[in-house]
Amino acid sequence: MVRLELTIEVEEPLILANKHAAGNIVHTLDYISGTALRGAFAARYLSLKGLSQKDEFTQFFCSNEVRFGNLYPESESEGDFVFPLPISAKTCKGYKGFKKDDPSKEIHGVSDYLLQEIPESCAAKSDLLGGRIVFCKAPLETYPCFYEFRPGNYRDCKKVEVGKRFSVHSEIDDKYKRSKEGILYTLEHINEEEKFVGNIFFSQESLYESFDKLFFSSRTPISFIKIGQARSRGMGKVIVTNSTRGDSPFFAMSKGTVEERIKAFNDGKLDTNEIQFSLTLFSDAIICDKFLRYLTTIPEWLVEEELNISSSKIEKIKAFTAYRMLSGWNAALGLPKENEIVINKGSSFLYTFKGSGEEENRNLIRALEELENRGIGFRRNEGFGEIIVCDPVHLYLRELEETR
Ligand SMILES: [Zn+2]
């Protein structure tokens, strides 16, 4: 597999809506979905080449051979990575956030509870009243956001904010060319100069080369693409500021190899008859059972099927999951897309594998590596179903415990 790393910079306000708004406020997502990225490149392809080479178009945009990943906000510091925070991570409701978010404020921190019991309330020492230690005791809650970390270091994590603002518009009357009475609406958009990074994955070298040549290395490389809503009204222009070939797998680079991560989850031992591993969604996933009913979790039987392991060897121990309804618009057909249920990014699952020693555990590691490379579920070429095995953040994000 070949990976193309992309950095894009917002040049005109960006609106990335993921559902039809009820009411008159349209909110934007704070990342660029693979679906939007694929659509933008497909539109650009058609304007450059038309449909003269239909097979190539199909291979680029309608097969699983090219996968357009989500683009997440760029990190503040070079060398850091930005990931969605797992749902298993909780923060104090009273003093929420990562400790490094704002050193001037009292913040109790964020901890991950996939591998440990969730306490009833925040146990941070809050204030000293008359020499007495007072514990915070505020409830814990999830903290949906992107966090920034340096590989191997989960003590200095920080929330990543995306700059956004609102603008108010009125609809224009077609006949009188003035504001239509009673129709006022508000759009939320991502600010200019925000940067996003992500990957496009190619199954073969030749596909990567022809894609790179067409869009980035030709005599007239593309200077911009249009993404999101209101593209004809001065919005949605982004420029590709960087496109380079990534040499190592993305998750191995940011989180270590699968073997290293599994070892860390099992006290460094692989020669036992039972080992633990986790699966964490890096992007939303669409998963169905045999009867095409949407699932809101990743059940044992599906993991066994994906890893090609005989049944009842894997047991699910814990799951932190959230889901939502996804709708969309098919620009080519001019029709709404069918609503789908997606499991939200950040959902985390913990399993045990009952093998028979090191050899079988090593086979499991190989199967998990393959799963991480190919992802899970439907619409993977639009960035759905990217999955991380044994994310170290579950082991090392422990800010709340450190304040005790
Ligand atoms: Zn607290």
Side-chain angles (χ1 to χ4, degrees):
M1 193 163 52
V2 190
R3 180 165 67 87
L4 177 72
E5 260 178 39
L6 273 190
T7 307
I8 68 155
E9 189 175 332
V10 178
E11 209 164 79
E12 291 172 351
L14 209 57
I15 306 170
L16 304 155
N18 71 337
K19 56 186 168 197
H20 299 296
N24 57 355
I25 299 180
V26 179
H27 288 280
T28 177
L29 292 172
D30 48 10
Y31 64 94
I32 296 170
S33 67
T35 311
L37 188 68
R38 183 184 73 140
F41 273 103
R44 204 57 213 255
Y45 181 97
L46 291 176
S47 73
L48 286 170
K49 275 185 132 177
L51 265 182
S52 57
Q53 282 165 292
K54 226 173 176 173
D55 289 348
E56 190 183 60
F57 182 85
T58 313
Q59 238 182 347
F60 280 169
F61 304 107
C62 310
S63 71
N64 267 335
E65 293 186 47
V66 181
R67 279 167 36 211
F68 294 82
N70 291 344
L71 303 183
Y72 291 147
E74 194 190 44
S75 61
E76 252 176 51
S77 324
E78 216 185 305
D80 282 12
F81 288 89
V82 172
F83 272 56
L85 188 69
I87 295 172
S88 52
K90 311 280 170 200
T91 187
C92 164
K93 196 171 179 177
Y95 300 88
K96 67 173 78 171
F98 289 97
K99 285 186 174 166
K100 290 273 153 98
D101 281 351
D102 187 351
S104 66
K105 273 202 278 182
E106 181 177 351
I107 296 175
H108 288 169
V110 183
S111 278
D112 193 281
Y113 293 101
L114 187 67
L115 299 170
Q116 54 173 349
E117 284 302 311
I118 305 182
E120 268 177 29
S121 60
C122 175
K125 283 174 202 159
S126 193
D127 293 296
L128 288 169
L129 288 177
R132 273 193 316 131
I133 297 167
V134 180
F135 291 99
C136 168
K137 288 192 182 159
L140 300 182
E141 62 176 18
T142 50
Y143 193 46
C145 68
F146 291 104
Y147 73 102
E148 177 177 342
F149 68 98
R150 184 142 297 195
N153 178 9
Y154 294 89
R155 298 182 81 94
D156 299 314
C157 294
K158 248 172 41 186
K159 183 182 179 177
V160 178
E161 302 269 8
V162 179
K164 290 186 275 192
R165 66 177 190 271
F166 287 103
S167 65
V168 181
H169 302 256
S170 59
E171 196 176 310
I172 302 297
D173 191 307
D174 286 339
K175 196 171 166 194
Y176 300 107
K177 305 293 179 212
R178 59 178 165 81
S179 299
K180 225 177 193 175
E181 206 170 307
I183 295 184
L184 193 69
Y185 60 98
T186 303
L187 298 176
E188 185 187 34
H189 30 71
I190 296 172
N191 291 341
E192 297 88 339
E193 292 180 11
E194 288 289 331
K195 284 186 177 173
F196 294 87
V197 290
N199 297 292
I200 304 176
F201 302 95
F202 300 85
S203 66
Q204 304 157 34
E205 185 72 41
S206 59
L207 270 173
Y208 165 79
E209 275 164 18
S210 45
F211 191 91
D212 184 57
K213 199 173 150 203
L214 176 64
F215 290 109
F216 302 114
S217 313
S218 68
R219 258 178 298 157
T220 49
I222 54 163
S223 50
F224 70 91
I225 45 176
K226 288 278 229 174
I227 282 182
Q229 296 191 334
R231 293 190 298 273
S232 58
R233 285 180 276 157
M235 292 192 192
K237 184 173 166 186
V238 301
I239 46 174
V240 179
T241 54
N242 176 41
S243 65
T244 43
R245 189 192 164 114
D247 291 322
S248 46
F250 179 67
F251 291 137
M253 203 168 71
S254 49
K255 299 274 182 183
T257 65
V258 172
E259 185 175 329
E260 283 165 2
R261 284 178 261 151
I262 291 191
K263 272 189 175 164
F265 263 57
N266 293 282
D267 301 321
K269 290 186 209 120
L270 285 181
D271 54 356
T272 49
N273 288 338
E274 198 173 297
I275 59 170
Q276 283 194 347
F277 66 94
S278 73
L279 298 175
T280 308
L281 288 178
F282 180 71
S283 63
D284 298 337
I286 304 169
I287 301 169
C288 293
D289 69 5
K290 290 184 188 74
F291 305 104
L292 291 178
R293 291 175 299 196
Y294 291 104
L295 299 177
T296 53
T297 179
I298 308 179
E300 290 100 332
W301 61 263
L302 183 65
V303 180
E304 284 162 353
E305 247 178 54
E306 288 284 335
L307 301 177
N308 206 3
I309 281 172
S310 52
S311 65
S312 67
K313 284 207 160 185
I314 286 175
E315 194 186 332
K316 188 165 76 194
I317 309 171
K318 256 188 186 179
F320 290 85
T321 164
Y323 62 93
R324 67 176 202 281
M325 190 73 88
L326 178 83
S327 53
W329 186 258
N330 188 324
L333 297 174
L335 288 170
K337 285 184 186 171
E338 198 178 324
N339 286 347
E340 294 195 89
I341 293 171
V342 300
I343 310 179
N344 291 353
K345 62 184 187 308
S347 292
S348 318
F349 308 88
L350 183 67
Y351 305 89
T352 51
F353 169 65
K354 296 183 195 90
S356 53
E358 185 157 352
E359 201 189 325
E360 223 176 322
N361 291 342
R362 289 204 177 271
N363 290 340
L364 175 84
I365 291 174
R366 268 190 293 276
L368 283 168
E369 273 167 353
E370 280 166 27
L371 176 67
E372 203 177 72
N373 283 335
R374 71 171 182 269
I376 196 164
F378 293 101
R379 293 172 66 180
R380 276 176 286 155
N381 64 336
E382 297 169 47
F384 289 93
E386 280 199 67
I387 203 161
I388 318 159
V389 177
C390 292
D391 189 334
V393 75
H394 297 304
L395 273 174
Y396 302 119
L397 188 61
R398 294 279 184 270
E399 291 187 343
L400 282 164
E401 284 68 32
E402 282 157 11
T403 48
R404 277 179 198 181

